[in-house]
Amino acid sequence: MAAIGSLVFCTDCGNLLPATKGTEKNFLKCECCGAWNKDTGSKTILTKSKPSDFPSFLRQKLQSSVQAVERHNIQTESVVQERCPKCGRDEVKYTSVQLRSADEGSTIIFTCDCGHSWNENN
């Protein structure tokens, strides 16, 4: 009889046997050919593996092009023609963030070189 995980198969015809009880003293009757088989569900072995256990050319190719980016080095701001209410400068930086639920508009955060920042909800 063969077992794959907790599934037990008949040695005569290969049919899937009824649910295992998990003890070798139990016998399972094949519904297809009528043969009696020892319950080997208790002999199942659990193994664990990692993707690195199975080398793959595709996986190596994908991992070789991955770049690590540090969050503080990412430039997420853009420049827009908007007047700063504090110093009057006409060009400020802005970034868009989703602070509210997805079906509502994003929040635009403006930042001036003078240090003043303000936001608008769209």
Side-chain angles (χ1 to χ4, degrees):
M1 174 175 23
I4 300 175
S6 62
L7 301 176
V8 182
F9 298 91
C10 178
T11 53
D12 292 351
C13 68
N15 188 43
L16 180 64
L17 295 174
T20 178
K21 305 287 189 228
T23 64
E24 286 189 45
K25 295 178 181 175
N26 188 35
F27 282 89
L28 303 172
K29 184 178 180 182
C30 179
E31 295 172 354
C32 185
C33 70
W36 287 92
N37 295 275
K38 248 187 183 180
D39 187 354
T40 58
S42 63
K43 292 184 177 181
T44 57
I45 299 170
L46 179 66
T47 60
K48 293 183 181 182
S49 62
K50 305 179 294 271
S52 60
D53 293 338
F54 303 96
S56 163
F57 175 73
L58 179 60
R59 188 179 299 118
Q60 290 172 357
K61 188 174 180 180
L62 290 173
Q63 289 175 347
S64 66
S65 63
V66 175
Q67 296 178 342
V69 179
E70 296 173 357
R71 188 179 184 98
H72 62 275
N73 289 338
I74 299 174
Q75 178 65 29
T76 60
E77 296 178 323
S78 298
V79 178
V80 67
Q81 297 296 322
E82 182 80 24
R83 183 174 294 274
C84 174
K86 185 175 180 185
C87 71
R89 183 173 289 153
D90 289 329
E91 192 174 89
V92 295
K93 295 177 182 176
Y94 77 96
T95 187
S96 175
V97 291
Q98 189 69 38
L99 298 176
R100 298 174 292 160
S101 63
D103 63 339
E104 297 184 33
S106 58
T107 301
I108 309 296
I109 301 174
F110 296 96
T111 307
C112 182
D113 288 338
C114 72
H116 180 68
S117 65
W118 68 100
N119 64 52
E120 290 181 6
N121 292 321
N122 290 340

